[in-house]
Amino acid sequence: MDGLYHIILMETNLKVRHALSVTSELGEDISRLARFDGPDTKLMQNSGKTKFKRTSIDRLMNTLVLWIFGFLVCLGIILAIGNSIWENQVGGQFRTFLFWNEGEKNSVFSGFLTFWSYIIILNTVVPISLYVSVEVIRLGHSYFINWDRKMYYSGKATPAEARTTTLNEELGQIEYIFSDKTGTLTQNVMTFKKCSINGRIYGEVHDDVGHKKAITKKKESVDFSVKTQTERTFQLFDHSLMESIKLGDPQVHEFLRLLALCHTVMSEENNAGQLIYQVQSPDEGALVTAARNFGFIFKSRTPETITIEELGTLVTYQLLAFLDFNNIRKRMSVIVRNPAGQIKLYSKGADTILFEKLHPSNEGLLSLTSDHLSEFAGEGLRTLVIAYRELDDKYFKEWHKMLEDANAATDKRDERITGLYEEIERDLMLLGATAIEDKLQEGVIETVTSLSLANIKIWVLTGDKQETAINIGYACNLLTDDMNDVFVISGNTAVEVREELRKAKENLFGQNRSFSNGHVVSENKQQLELDSVVEETITGDYALVINGHSLAHALESDVKNDLLELACLCKTVVCCRVTPLQKAQVVELVKKHRNAVTLAIGDGANDVSMIKSAHIGVGISGQEGLQAVLASDYSFAQFRYLQRLLLVHGRWSYFRMCKFLCYFFYKNFAFTLVHFWFGFFCGFSAQTVYDPWFITLFNIVYTSLPVLAMGIFDQDVSDQNSMDCPQLYEPGQLNQLFNKRRFFICMAHGLYTSLALFFIPFGAFYNVVGEDGQHAADYQSFAVTMATSLVIVVSVQIALDTSYWTVINHVFIWGSIATYFSILFTMHSNGIFEVFPNQFPFVGNAWHSLNQKCIWLVILLTTVASVIPVVAFRFLKMHLYPSLSDQIRQWQKAQKKAKPTSSRRPQTRRSSSRRSGYGFAHQEGYGELITSGKNMRVKNSPPTSGLEKTLYNSTNWIENLCKKTTDTVNSFSQDKAVKL
Amino acid sequence: MEKKITDVLAKSELKPGTPEDLQKLMKDYYSSHRSVIELEELKLPVCPKWVKLRKNHSEKKSVLMLIICSSAVRALELIRSMTAFRGDSKVMKLFAKHIKVQEQVKLLEKRVVHLGVGTPGRIKELIKQGGLNLNPLKFLVFDWNWRDQKLRRMMDIPEINYTYICENCAKLRENAFNFDQKCTCSIPFYLQENMEGDVYMYYKLYGFYQNHYRYVLSRSNNQLVGKDIMDVEDCAPFKVSQNKTPIAPCGAIANSMFNDTIILSYTLKSSVHIQVPMLKTELTWWTDKYVKFQNPSLINLSDRFVGTEKPPYWQAPIYELDTSDPGNNGFLNDDFIVWMRTAAFPTFKKLYRRLYRVQYFMDGLPAGNYSFNISYNFPVTRIKGEKSVVLSTLTWSGGSSLFLGLAYTVTGAFLWLASFALMAIHITMKRKKLSYRR
C-alpha cells in the first residue's frame, strides 16, 4: 500500500524515479504506467536537441577569413602576373647576373612559382592567431562574469557562472528575451497581503494624514509571537485586524474560519511538534497560514472531519461535502457541520463567478468589496472572494442524496454533479476578499524596465494560467495600462486562432494608420522625438497574450507568419499554458524568422528545451533543481542579475571583441601589404620586406599582448553608467560595432598604413646617404627601418584605441616595444652571428641603422603620417557625430571629480485597473483526494472509515486518474504532431 | 637695395616662363638703366627674324636654333611648350635616350632641321663626330634657370650618367666575350661652385635588381666570414665553376660586383691635370669589416684560396682585389664589402671613394674643370640599366635628402592646418553645447 500512496502524492507532479516502486502494486495496470517511462517521459519528450552554439561574430569572422583568403589569392595572382611580365621585359636581361645557363626557364612558369611564394609570404594577412586570441579574450570575459561580486547572491551563496566561454559577446546583442515566470520572475512564494472584510480593508498602512504609505522594514510589524504555533516569516503591518479579532467581530471570525476550513491543505507535525502544512498550491498555503497567524489554526483533517483551533479552543468540524475546484467553476466550497450542528457552505473563488452567486441582500457590500478588489488588483495582488451560506439540514440531506446518486451514475455523471454544485452554491453571503501577493524576485521591475529601455523585447512563456500570467505581467511592468491595446488570443481551433490574429492585426494596423494620418499625431511625433532620448520605446505600445492551445495552432506553418508579425510588433508577448516544447518552438520561430539574437531564461526542467534552442540560455540556479542550470550557458541566482549580465558584461564583451577584431585585421593588413608594394620594386621576386625573424615574431611576441589586454580590459563607459543608460546597448543589437562595413574600414585603414609605411621610407631611402657618407639605403637597413616603424605605429595605434588604461595595458604596450628592441639588438649582435652566420645575417644592422638621424626622422614621419589621419577622423567624429557612449564618456570625465549621482529610475506603480486575477493556482481533483482520505498517512487515517467507502473512492480515483492520463496522452501526441 | 633677377627667379614658383614674364621683369628692374629705344625693342617678338630665317634655311646637318637643357624629359617638355613658336619648322630631339648616335648622325644628314633641342652630352658627341655643323647656327638657348626635381639647374648636376656618354665602351661590354678588352672613357665637366667639406664619390646604378629574392640569397656567409672557404651551399647558380671547383667568393652577388674604376682629375691650369686624391678605406660599417667579413688568414692570402676559382665575371681572383694594402684585400676589400651589402631598390648608389683632403683639396673640391676617367667594365646596357657617378657632400643628417625635407614640410603644413581646423570645430561645438545647456 505504501507504494500506492506514493503515486497518489506524486500524481500531479509525476516523477519517473518514483514509478518503479508503484508498478508491483498495480498489477495489470502496469502497462499504462510503463508507457511513459524512458524516452517517453515528459522530460525526455520535451527536451530539444542540444545544438552547437556559436556567436554571430564567429560566423562573420569565418566569412571574413574566407574573403581575406580570396583577397590573398587575388594579390598572389596580381603579383604572379607582374612577375611574368617582369621576367619577360627585364628579368631576361638580368639573368646575366643570376643564372649561369638556365635560359630555358620561361616567364609563365616563373609567374606560377611566384604565385605560391607570395601566397606563403602574404599568408600573415589571414589571421590564424585570431582564433586563439578570441578564445583567450572570451575566457577572460567569462572569468569576469564568474568573479563579479555584484552578481553574487549571498542568500544562497551562489556566484554567477559562465558555463560556456564562447558566447560572451553575443550577450551584447540580445534583442529578444524569453523568460519563464515561476521561479524566474517570481519567487513562487505567496504572501497574504491584504484583505477586505465586511467592507473594510485590513493590511494597509496609513500614516497620520491618512495617505497610503509604502511598507518599509522599519515599520513595526504585527507581533504574533504571543501566539503559539505562528510562523516566523509571516508579516503584516496592520494592527487593526488583530484588534477586530480581539473585539470579537463575528464577520472577521467567520472570514478567518473560512480560510482555515476551505482548502486542500494537509497538516503534519514534525519532530519538534511544530505544524507543517503540505500545500498543493502556494496561494492556499498563504491563506491558511494567514488564518493561523490570526488565531484560527488549522490543526488536522480526516476524510470526514477538520480540526481547527479557534483562538485557543479546539473545534472539530464535520466535513460533509467537498465541492472541488476546477477551471470552469473557478471556485471551491466545503460544506461543514460545526459542533453546534449548523451546516454551512464556505466558498472561495474568482470574483467574477462568486459575485453572480451572491444573495441580493449583499448589494451594498458587493460594490464596496468590488472597489477594494480593483484596488488590490491594481497593486498586482491576486484576489479571492470569500462567501458563505448557511444551509438547512433538510435541504442539505436532499442535496447530498442527489449528489450520491449522481456520483454513482454511469452516464452524464460530470454534468449532473456540476449541476448539483451550481444549485447549492447560490444565495451566498459575502464575507470579503483576500489579496495575495505572488512575490516577485528582487529587482524584477527595475530589470524589466531597464531592459525594455535597452530596446530588448521580453516575452514571458509560462505554464501558468492566463490570469496568473497577465497578473504577473502587470506586476512586472511588462504590461501597463498605458498600452494602447492588449490582444488576447485564446481560440481553440485553428480557424478561430487565425481569425483572432487577423483581427488583432487589423486592429493594430488600423490604429496605426489613423494614428499616422491624423493631424494631431504630427505634433505628438515631434514631442516624441524630443523625448526620444529618455523614452524611445513608447511609440505604439501593444501587447499580445496567447495561450497554449492557440499557440499550438498558431505555430502551424500558414498562421506562423501572422503570429510572428503581430508578436514582433508588440512590445510584450505573454504566452501562457505552454508546454516546454512549445517554449522552444516559439524561440525557434523568432530565431529563424527575425534573424535576431535571443536569450532564454528559466529555472526549471520545463525550460531546458527553450534554454537549449535560444542563442543564449540562462539558468536561474538554486530554485528548482539543476536541470536548467546544466543546460544553460550562464547561470546566476536572481533574475535581476540579467540586467548586469547584459548591460554591463554583454555590452563590454561585444565592445571589446569588436575593437579587438578591428585592430587585429588592421594590424595584419598593415603588416602584410607592405610586401605587396615592395613586390613592384624587387621584380616581383617574392622578396620579403622584413627580416624573416621579425615576420615570425611580429604576431606572436611584438603585438599580441597589447591587443589582448585591450580585448580583455577595455571599457568605454563604466559599469554604473552602462546600467544607468540602457540605450547604450543598442549598437550591439544593430550590429554596429563590427560588421562587413567596419571590416572594410579596418582594411582601408590597414592599407593606408601599409602605404605610408612603405612609401615614406621608400622615398627617403631612394637617395639617402648615411651620416658618415656610407650608403644607408641597403636592403637590411630598409628592413630594420620598416620593422621599427611598424612596431611603433602599431603600438601607437593600440594606445589610441585603448580607452581604459590599466597597469597591464601599460606593461604590455611598453613591454612589447622594449621586447622588440631587445630582441632586435640581440639578433643583430656579433655574438649570435659568430655562432650562426647563415641564420642571422643582419649583424650590426640595428646598431648602425638606428644610429642614423635620418632613419629616426623617417620613423617619426611614418608614425605621424599613419596615425594623424586616424586621430583627426576620430576627433571630428566625436565632435560632429558623437555617439551616445562618447557623450557619456565625456560626462563621465566631467563627473569624475564630483560624487556620482544616485540612479534615477522613478518607481511608479500604475493606477488601478479591473482585472480578474483570482488566486487559484492548483488543479482540480484534490477535493476528491481529501474526502477519499487516500492522501493521508496511515497513522492519521480515521479508525471509523469504512472499508467499502474507501474501495469505492479508490476506484473513483483510479477512473479519474485514467481520465487525466488520456488527457496527458492527448497533449503529448499533440506535442509530437507539432514537433513533426 | 635692388633685387637681382636671379633672386626673384629663385623665389618664384617653378613654372615655364613666357616672353611676357621676361618683358615685365626687364621693365620692372631695368627701366631706370635702359634707354627708351632699348625698352621699345622688348615689345618686339621673341625672335623677330625667325620666319624669314626659317624659310632661308636649307642646310643639312645643322640647326638654326639650338636649345640646350638638362635632361631628355625636359627637352620633350620644351618641345611641347613651343608648339606655337615653331610653326611648321622641323624639330629634332638631340638626346641619348631614344636613338643611337650613329643613327642620329644619319638622320641629320638626311633632313633639314631648324630647331634642335637636347642634352649637352649628346650634342657634344654629335659635334665631335661631325654630325652637327655649327656654322648656320643663329641662336643658342640655354635652359638655364629650370630646376629638376632635385632643384638642380642644368649646370650644377654633380651626377654624371656615363652609360651613353661612353657609348662605344657600353657596346663593347654588351658582348660578354670582350671581357678582357680594356675600355676607358673620359668625361670632362665643370664644377660651378666649391664643394666644401668632405666630398664623397658614389657610383649609382639604375635598374639593377640587387634586391631580387634569388640574388639576395645567393651568397655564403660562412665563406665570407672565413670559416669555411669551401662552403658554397647557398650560392646557386654560382656555386662551382665549370670544372666543378668551388667559387670564392661564390654566389650571384659577388659575381656581379661593380668593377669600373673611376678616377677624378682636376684641371689646375689650362693643361695641368692632377688626380684628385681619394681614399678607398672606411667605406663600410665597422661590423661588416670586422665581424661579417673575414679572410681565412691575413698571411699568404693566395695560398688560402687554393682549390677555389674566381667568379666567372671577375677579371682577377679575390686575393688580388687590392694587392697594395693587405688590410683591404680578399674578403676585406671595402669595395667588395660595399657591393655585398645589397641595396633595397633597383636604383641605388654606393660609396666608391672619399676625398682625401690634402693640398688643393683641403677644404673640399674647388670650383673648376674636372674630368672623370673611367675604365668601363661593368656591363649595365646588357640589363638595360644605366650607371652614373655622383659627387656629394653631407649635411647634418647625412646625404641631402630632398624627399624627407619635402615630406616634413608637407606633413607639417597639413598638421598645422588640421590642428587649426579641429581647434575651430572644437571651440564652436563647445559654445553650441554651452548655449544648448542654458
Side-chain angles (χ1 to χ4, degrees), chain A residues 86 93-94 96-100 681 685 687 762 764 769 771 773-774 777-779 834 841 845 857 879 890, chain B residues 202 209 211 213-214 227 237-238 240 256 284-285 292 313 341-342 344-346 382 394 399 403 408 426 429:
Chain A
W86 186 86
Q93 284 103 36
F94 195 65
T96 324
F97 293 114
L98 253 184
F99 303 117
W100 207 347
F681 300 93
S685 61
Q687 176 67 290
F762 170 74
V769 172
E771 273 166 64
Q774 296 160 356
D778 64 294
Y779 165 73
E834 272 156 23
N845 219 296
L857 285 175
H879 273 76
Q890 280 188 339
Chain B
Y202 301 88
Y209 285 82
N211 58 1
Y213 180 63
R214 287 200 311 268
K227 263 187 175 173
F238 296 98
V240 288
S256 61
T284 60
W285 290 356
K292 210 171 172 184
Y313 290 3
R341 182 159 279 278
T342 54
F345 299 105
R382 222 185 290 167
L394 295 179
F403 174 84
Y408 262 94
H426 179 74
M429 293 310 284

Side-chain angles (χ1 to χ4, degrees), chain A residues 778-947:
Chain A
D778 64 294
Y779 165 73
Q780 294 188 337
S781 302
F782 183 69
V784 170
T785 313
M786 291 278 297
T788 312
S789 314
L790 179 70
V791 169
I792 292 177
V793 166
V794 159
S795 300
V796 170
Q797 185 64 43
I798 191 85
L800 280 178
D801 280 350
T802 306
S803 39
Y804 184 76
W805 284 85
T806 62
V807 183
I808 297 169
N809 289 79
H810 277 290
V811 168
F812 280 176
I813 291 177
W814 295 113
S816 287
I817 295 178
T819 313
Y820 167 70
F821 281 110
S822 51
I823 290 181
L824 182 77
F825 279 100
T826 314
M827 288 204 305
H828 293 187
S829 70
N830 304 345
I832 203 161
F833 174 78
E834 272 156 23
V835 184
F836 308 103
N838 276 331
Q839 279 72 29
F840 298 95
F842 276 66
V843 55
N845 219 296
W847 196 81
H848 279 283
S849 298
L850 299 179
N851 243 348
Q852 306 275 335
K853 285 187 208 84
C854 64
I855 300 278
W856 284 106
L857 285 175
V858 169
I859 292 172
L860 178 70
L861 184 68
T862 310
T863 312
V864 168
S866 45
V867 166
I868 286 298
V870 180
V871 174
F873 177 76
R874 289 197 183 159
F875 183 88
L876 281 180
K877 193 168 163 267
M878 218 165 89
H879 273 76
L880 300 178
Y881 308 100
S883 67
L884 189 62
S885 82
D886 289 337
Q887 288 170 345
I888 287 180
R889 222 160 77 199
Q890 280 188 339
W891 179 81
Q892 201 170 284
K893 268 182 202 158
Q895 292 288 308
K896 224 165 196 179
K897 294 156 203 162
K899 279 269 164 199
T901 50
S902 58
S903 81
R904 75 228 136 66
R905 215 166 295 121
Q907 286 305 323
T908 43
R909 281 246 171 159
R910 75 241 110 70
S911 59
S912 69
S913 73
R914 189 75 167 91
R915 282 182 312 281
S916 158
Y918 67 98
F920 267 118
H922 59 226
Q923 288 165 337
E924 66 175 302
Y926 262 71
E928 221 161 313
L929 284 175
I930 284 166
T931 43
S932 70
K934 280 289 164 208
N935 58 346
M936 290 168 204
R937 300 270 175 210
V938 184
K939 58 173 185 182
N940 285 356
S941 64
T944 51
S945 70
L947 189 67

Side-chain angles (χ1 to χ4, degrees), chain A residues 432-446:
Chain A
T434 59
I436 297 167
E437 187 186 29
D438 189 354
K439 249 193 163 170
L440 292 178
Q441 297 256 11
E442 264 177 81
V444 165
I445 298 168
E446 289 87 339

Side-chain angles (χ1 to χ4, degrees), chain A residues 688-706:
Chain A
T688 57
V689 179
Y690 317 105
D691 177 4
W693 288 106
F694 177 78
I695 296 176
T696 317
L697 296 175
F698 177 76
N699 263 331
I700 306 162
V701 180
Y702 301 149
T703 55
S704 64
L705 288 179

